[in-house]
Amino acid sequence: MKYLIKYLLQQNIRSQKYLAPVVFYTIVMLLMYSYKPNPVADSYGVTAMLLFFGSAWLGLTVMNAEPPGQIQLLVLHAGSRRKVAIGQLISAVVMQLAMALITIVYPIVTGMFERQPSANEWIVAWCGHLVLALLGLSVSVFFQNAYISRLSRSLPIFIVVLLSSFVQVSLSERLPESLQWMSYILPPAFYLVQKMMLYDGGGLGQIILVCTWSAVYAILLLSIHIWLSGRRDLRG
């Protein structure tokens, strides 16, 4: 597994497909911190929301980095399609961890905040960013070429799902009562970002509860993907 992950990371770096989401995300973050002072909670809430979109985009590029023929060779060498799927997920998580680390540390090192974050705000920042990055990845895996062969078909639905994650409250209010359940199956990104932006440095209970809910949602989606990857020839 270690060599598989190392190979996938090297292939992703060589392909340079990661550049578009990483560069776009970095530019937007730098623009946001182009002036100071910035409020801690609001700023971390916005960057966590951006990381959700950036991680989903990055996850899609990692899942589609290898051509179908190369995936078949990887399966033969790894001995299991599920091992390849897990290797892809770990590769994406490693790259997302680097993005989250830079996002959280950059404003502190450069003095862009109005004050230093408290210990609780530091915990909220890490939990929020990491969970939203995982949530973005869990959504992206179902829009890779293995599930929907044409990007022209998958991309519009992918964008709609991501954007709907942040309007699910208003969406629920506008839908007929019989269809309001649809808003509850969307990724709970809105609720976590809302809690981060409204965090006042007090108790951590509610935000940890939302983080746990979001993490369970993401792990459930990723588990379904790993299970499906071993059930059928996704590239067939």
Side-chain angles (χ1 to χ4, degrees), residues 209-227:
L209 185 64
V210 179
C211 271
T212 303
W213 170 29
S214 302
V216 169
Y217 184 100
I219 291 170
L220 179 62
L221 288 186
L222 294 175
S223 299
I224 292 172
H225 165 61
I226 293 171
W227 177 73

Side-chain angles (χ1 to χ4, degrees), residues 68-82:
Q70 190 64 29
I71 287 291
Q72 297 293 348
L73 288 175
L74 281 176
V75 172
L76 287 176
H77 284 286
S80 166
R81 188 174 296 278
R82 282 180 179 152

Side-chain angles (χ1 to χ4, degrees), residues 2-230:
K2 180 177 71 174
Y3 297 107
L4 175 63
I5 295 169
K6 183 179 178 182
Y7 167 81
L8 290 171
L9 282 171
Q10 289 175 338
Q11 285 297 102
N12 278 298
I13 292 172
R14 286 173 185 160
S15 71
Q16 299 185 349
K17 291 181 179 178
Y18 70 94
L19 277 176
V22 171
V23 169
F24 180 78
Y25 172 77
T26 304
I27 290 174
V28 174
M29 187 192 71
L30 291 176
L31 285 175
M32 199 189 85
Y33 287 122
S34 59
Y35 67 91
K36 59 181 180 181
N38 292 277
V40 177
D42 285 356
S43 301
Y44 274 149
V46 173
T47 53
M49 179 181 66
L50 293 172
L51 189 60
F52 170 74
F53 289 109
S55 295
W57 188 0
L58 178 65
L60 192 61
T61 63
V62 171
M63 298 301 132
N64 289 337
E66 298 288 336
Q70 190 64 29
I71 287 291
Q72 297 293 348
L73 288 175
L74 281 176
V75 172
L76 287 176
H77 284 286
S80 166
R81 188 174 296 278
R82 282 180 179 152
K83 283 186 180 178
V84 175
I86 293 171
Q88 288 177 316
L89 294 177
I90 294 175
S91 301
V93 167
V94 169
M95 299 173 79
Q96 291 171 345
L97 280 174
M99 291 171 67
L101 175 65
I102 293 170
T103 303
I104 295 171
V105 172
Y106 173 78
I108 298 174
V109 172
T110 55
M112 288 296 175
F113 284 148
E114 60 190 6
R115 56 177 172 77
Q116 289 297 309
S118 65
N120 283 356
E121 287 170 331
W122 184 255
I123 294 171
V124 169
W126 275 105
C127 290
H129 283 82
L130 293 178
V131 170
L132 280 164
L134 192 66
L135 196 59
L137 173 63
S138 70
V139 174
S140 69
V141 296
F142 292 100
F143 293 92
Q144 60 179 288
N145 292 340
Y147 289 106
I148 305 176
S149 58
R150 293 185 181 180
L151 191 63
S152 58
R153 292 179 181 173
S154 65
L155 197 56
I157 308 172
F158 181 54
I159 293 172
V160 168
V161 171
L162 293 181
L163 294 178
S164 299
S165 303
F166 286 92
V167 296
Q168 50 191 286
V169 175
S170 58
L171 184 64
S172 176
E173 294 172 352
R174 294 172 188 277
L175 287 172
E177 188 174 349
S178 60
L179 296 177
Q180 288 183 357
W181 60 269
M182 294 176 64
S183 65
Y184 297 111
I185 63 175
L186 291 168
F190 166 79
Y191 300 103
L192 182 48
V193 170
Q194 183 188 47
K195 289 294 180 186
M196 291 182 70
M197 296 185 75
L198 296 178
Y199 184 70
D200 60 359
L204 289 170
Q206 283 193 343
I207 199 162
I208 287 178
L209 185 64
V210 179
C211 271
T212 303
W213 170 29
S214 302
V216 169
Y217 184 100
I219 291 170
L220 179 62
L221 288 186
L222 294 175
S223 299
I224 292 172
H225 165 61
I226 293 171
W227 177 73
L228 286 176
S229 67

